[in-house]
DNA sequence: GTGAAAGCGCTAACAG
DNA sequence: CTGTTAGCGCTTTCAC
């Protein structure tokens, strides 16, 4: 293994053929360009023997393509996103694309930084869960003819391709599960983010509550500029004044996590008597006592739809592919926490 | 916002100055190269007005630098790695480096693919938790003079910079916590991976058990070619034949997760009576009933040490920086699961 | 103070 | 069938 980096020119010199020949062979165009089998073999053998790797930076510069797709979510550590990432990656690999993952923490500044970073590096496409304030950045990408597929949510006033679930319906059904479990005072803990998926979940909850002639009971935790301790204390305060409460529906994964922690520490709440439902599933929910019922998004299907659109855009680079919006249904996973509890009176 | 991508040449044309001038100004060398203030202002204003972003691919090709560091771990979704990633990123940003994260799933083939991907793209440095079989790939990077810092574990026969914790000592102390909690039959559930950090943990456990005149009781779950269901059934079988068992020490995060799931389903085990300790902390451990005691690695310190070495190597590019190995101590977080339990007889 | 031009490693049109 | 060469967008040396 020699020091430094070998170039295609070095190989041409070593083998006494031109760089063109090398380039053709390495790009699998040997046959097509009628390079002799002997030369092809010579080139292949040699490049393999020295473990030559072409400089993709130069390739990218020359071709204008990077064969890289960016997958940007709130938090790649999140069970839901991590699983989805895997599905997308598998599909991409089959088409010779690599996928780079990153987390925007639902933060506009960070999203922008990441978009810039990858845009400047000429990635071929973006799959993004947009944070609230990056509408214009997305619009710019589209303007520059770069394929973008949003998911989980999108901007209603921006014409983009997107894959989302029917949040209103999913929340409606989940709330009804609690209602069917004979719970009467069902709180909904959500964020105050004015993102469409959050609004949808809230609407679904409200509709179910209304149709059952119950009272809505909503806590909206501000989602900006709060660390988890602050959020937790808001949830704690909310629970403290809820003597009647018998069930809780958490609208996001991290709120569920906070909520379970608080319920655990409050004397007047018994996690085994409370009805609990979470939006988005998590590996720990089945280990928890009681196990936690959850609304699970159809990961496989989402990944496939996202990539179908992305690959199409990538292929039709020049003529602008018409945008496409897909809405999928979520699934309710019933566990212990949403079942009818032991009567208490 | 115009279509396509603006180049430095377009700007030169638009402003009637040469590309050199633009380049100098954009790289902050305006003053140094004695470009007039008027021209500097003109260039800055114009590039900002059209929101020009230099093509980093071309920059990279020209300078041979990408200003990107790769951070590769088993699973970036893991609490421990995610936190560490954040710390590293913060430090890198201050020195104008970006960090790209990726997960190798402790799989050699995947590690290799990722290393190749980034190597071909000329990233400036690698921070890696190596999977077992990539010793040679790491060696090649070092051979090619690319800065590499390993952490969590390293190859004893390869001279690399690395940051690790004292696993033997941490496991020894954690086991002693259980022993102090009056537990007598303490099982150690680990993988059969022959990686140094796993061997260290096993040794620490064994030493503590021996010094207390207890009997070691070890389950080594094969870590290759097993999906989580398979691993779980091995743990289930192990537990089934353990009537005497009163405590468990899990050597990794995912084994803890599996273990808790199994304990939950087995009639003869009561999670509230069992002593439990996990290696590596997790957000869910404090929500779990009972809350789970854990060995926590010193994240901040690890991140700082890793970056100290990395930045040094990056700066001294040419003369090969001597390698450096750092060993840090872990911390035991005592929660409910390791405390003395209600007497049972 | 500013510009011309070489060259980073690669692809591909064109020439022979 | 294979070689020569322009050029992707940028940095930087050297010239004026």
């Amino acid at each position: 293994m020699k020091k430094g980096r070998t170039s295609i020119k070095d190989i041409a010199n070593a083998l006494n053929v031109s760089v063109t020949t090398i380039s053709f062979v390495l790009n699998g165009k040997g046959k097509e360009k009628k390079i002799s089998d002997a030369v092809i073999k010579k080139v292949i053998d040699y490049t393999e023997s020295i473990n030559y790797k072409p400089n993709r930076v130069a390739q990218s510069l020359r071709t204008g393509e990077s064969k890289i797709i960016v997958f940007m979510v709130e938090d790649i550590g999140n069970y839901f996103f991590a699983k989805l990432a895997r599905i997308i990656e598998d599909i991409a690999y089959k088409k010779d694309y690599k996928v780079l993952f990153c987390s925007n923490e639902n933060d506009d500044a960070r999203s922008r930084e990441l978009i810039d970073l990858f845009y400047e590096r000429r990635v071929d496409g973006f799959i993004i869960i947009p944070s609230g304030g990056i509408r214009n950045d997305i619009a710019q990408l589209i303007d520059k003819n770069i394929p973008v597929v949003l998911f989980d949510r999108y901007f209603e006033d921006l014409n983009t391709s997107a894959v989302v679930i029917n949040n209103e319906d999913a929340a409606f059904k989940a709330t009804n599960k609690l209602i069917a479990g004979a719970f009467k005072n069902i709180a909904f803990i959500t964020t105050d983010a004015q993102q469409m998926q959050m609004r949808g979940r809230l609407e679904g909850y409200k509709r179910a509550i209304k149709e059952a002639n119950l009272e809505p009971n909503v806590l909206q935790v501000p989602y900006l500029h709060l660390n988890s301790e602050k959020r937790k204390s808001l949830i704690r305060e909310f629970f403290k004044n809820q003597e009647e409460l018998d069930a809780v529906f958490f609208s996001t994964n991290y709120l569920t996590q906070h909520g379970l922690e608080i319920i655990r520490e409050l004397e007047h709440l018994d996690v085994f008597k409370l009805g609990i439902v979470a939006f988005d599933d998590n590996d720990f929910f089945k280990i928890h006592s009681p196990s936690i019922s959850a609304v699970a998004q159809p990961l496989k299907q989402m990944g496939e739809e996202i990539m179908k659109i992305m690959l199409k855009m990538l292929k039709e680079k020049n003529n602008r592919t018409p945008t496409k919006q897909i809405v999928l249904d979520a699934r309710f996973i019933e566990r212990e926490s949403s079942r009818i509890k032991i009567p208490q009176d």
Side-chain angles (χ1 to χ4, degrees), chain A:
Chain A
M1 180 67 44
K2 54 189 285 261
K3 299 264 190 306
R5 306 175 118 136
T6 315
S7 84
I8 207 170
K9 217 166 165 180
D10 299 330
I11 301 176
N13 283 333
L15 296 183
N16 263 315
V17 292
S18 81
V19 290
T20 315
T21 309
I22 312 281
S23 176
F24 283 154
V25 172
L26 292 180
N27 290 311
K29 295 183 183 166
K31 286 265 170 273
E32 182 187 326
K33 299 289 180 182
K34 313 207 179 186
I35 311 270
S36 69
D37 287 353
V39 174
I40 292 183
K41 187 167 169 4
K42 185 166 74 171
V43 173
I44 301 266
D45 285 353
Y46 182 72
T47 49
E48 277 180 1
S49 79
I50 64 164
N51 194 20
Y52 167 76
K53 309 272 183 219
N55 182 335
R56 302 265 173 213
V57 175
Q59 273 184 339
S60 261
L61 179 61
R62 179 61 232 227
T63 61
E65 282 190 349
S66 60
K67 287 287 174 186
I68 286 185
I69 297 170
V70 168
F71 180 80
M72 182 165 115
V73 297
E74 257 177 71
D75 174 11
I76 194 70
N78 189 309
Y79 175 90
F80 169 65
F81 300 134
K83 293 272 184 209
L84 187 55
R86 224 52 232 293
I87 293 166
I88 295 211
E89 186 177 32
D90 283 346
I91 301 174
Y93 265 53
K94 286 184 191 131
K95 299 286 180 182
D96 203 29
Y97 281 95
K98 309 273 181 184
V99 184
L100 252 29
F101 308 106
C102 55
S103 309
N104 62 18
E105 337 244 317
N106 209 356
D107 177 85
D108 291 336
R110 194 170 160 74
S111 297
R112 260 182 222 117
E113 245 181 35
L114 287 165
I115 290 178
D116 278 359
L117 165 68
F118 291 116
Y119 169 71
E120 291 167 11
R121 256 110 188 156
R122 300 302 185 260
V123 300
D124 294 343
F126 288 86
I127 297 169
I128 300 182
I129 294 197
S131 59
I134 60 162
R135 186 196 168 286
N136 291 339
D137 306 80
I138 303 285
Q140 278 182 28
L141 287 178
I142 294 171
D143 247 19
K144 300 198 172 178
N145 239 319
I146 296 165
V148 177
V149 179
L150 303 186
F151 74 104
D152 197 57
R153 50 198 186 246
Y154 55 88
F155 301 99
E156 277 144 309
D157 61 342
L158 184 65
N159 182 28
T160 45
S161 285
V163 175
V164 296
I165 60 159
N166 190 334
N167 284 284
E168 204 272 352
D169 185 61
F172 176 75
K173 285 182 180 151
T175 309
N176 273 338
K177 289 283 182 179
L178 285 172
I179 293 170
F183 297 103
K184 298 287 176 214
N185 192 335
I186 304 168
F188 186 66
I189 298 194
T190 184
T191 81
D192 68 346
Q194 285 310 305
Q195 294 156 337
M196 58 176 297
Q197 89 282 14
M198 288 305 159
R199 289 206 314 274
R201 291 173 196 182
L202 180 57
E203 288 316 312
Y205 161 83
K206 279 192 182 159
R207 181 156 66 88
I209 292 291
K210 191 171 178 191
E211 288 183 8
N213 282 316
L214 297 175
E215 280 301 308
N217 183 8
V218 176
L219 169 65
Q220 301 208 25
V221 181
Y223 101 113
L224 287 177
H225 315 305
L226 282 190
N227 56 31
S228 37
E229 283 316 312
K230 272 275 170 52
R231 286 195 299 253
K232 275 188 224 165
S233 52
L234 285 170
I235 297 172
R236 190 178 294 114
E237 286 314 307
F238 175 79
F239 278 147
K240 273 193 186 152
N241 307 314
Q242 301 277 337
E243 294 299 332
E244 299 296 308
L245 190 83
D246 61 7
V248 192
F249 183 1
F250 294 101
S251 81
T252 78
N253 224 291
Y254 75 89
L255 286 173
T256 310
Q257 199 168 319
H258 290 344
L260 291 173
E261 203 176 325
I262 305 296
I263 289 169
R264 206 172 186 288
E265 73 183 40
L266 290 178
E267 294 280 327
H268 74 289
L269 293 179
D270 180 346
V271 73
F272 288 97
K273 292 187 179 152
L274 220 48
I276 300 175
V277 166
F279 213 105
D280 284 344
D281 197 20
N282 187 300
D283 270 348
F284 267 94
F285 288 171
K286 59 175 182 241
I287 301 178
H288 193 270
S289 305
S291 56
I292 307 291
S293 302
V295 177
Q297 307 202 34
L299 288 164
K300 189 143 183 299
Q301 212 184 339
M302 292 184 78
E304 284 165 359
E305 295 291 351
I306 290 171
M307 283 308 287
K308 208 156 89 187
I309 301 174
M310 176 53 74
L311 289 170
K312 188 148 182 273
M313 292 175 119
L314 251 13
K315 201 169 4 178
E316 298 171 1
K317 212 168 324 178
N318 303 314
N319 33 337
R320 307 190 57 155
T321 320
T323 61
K324 193 169 176 188
Q325 287 79 34
I326 310 256
V327 180
L328 303 172
D329 282 321
R331 191 165 55 91
F332 187 79
I333 299 179
E334 182 145 26
R335 298 204 183 93
E336 293 165 3
S337 72
S338 62
R339 303 223 182 96
I340 299 175
K341 307 286 161 159
I342 315 108
Q344 295 170 57
D345 51 334

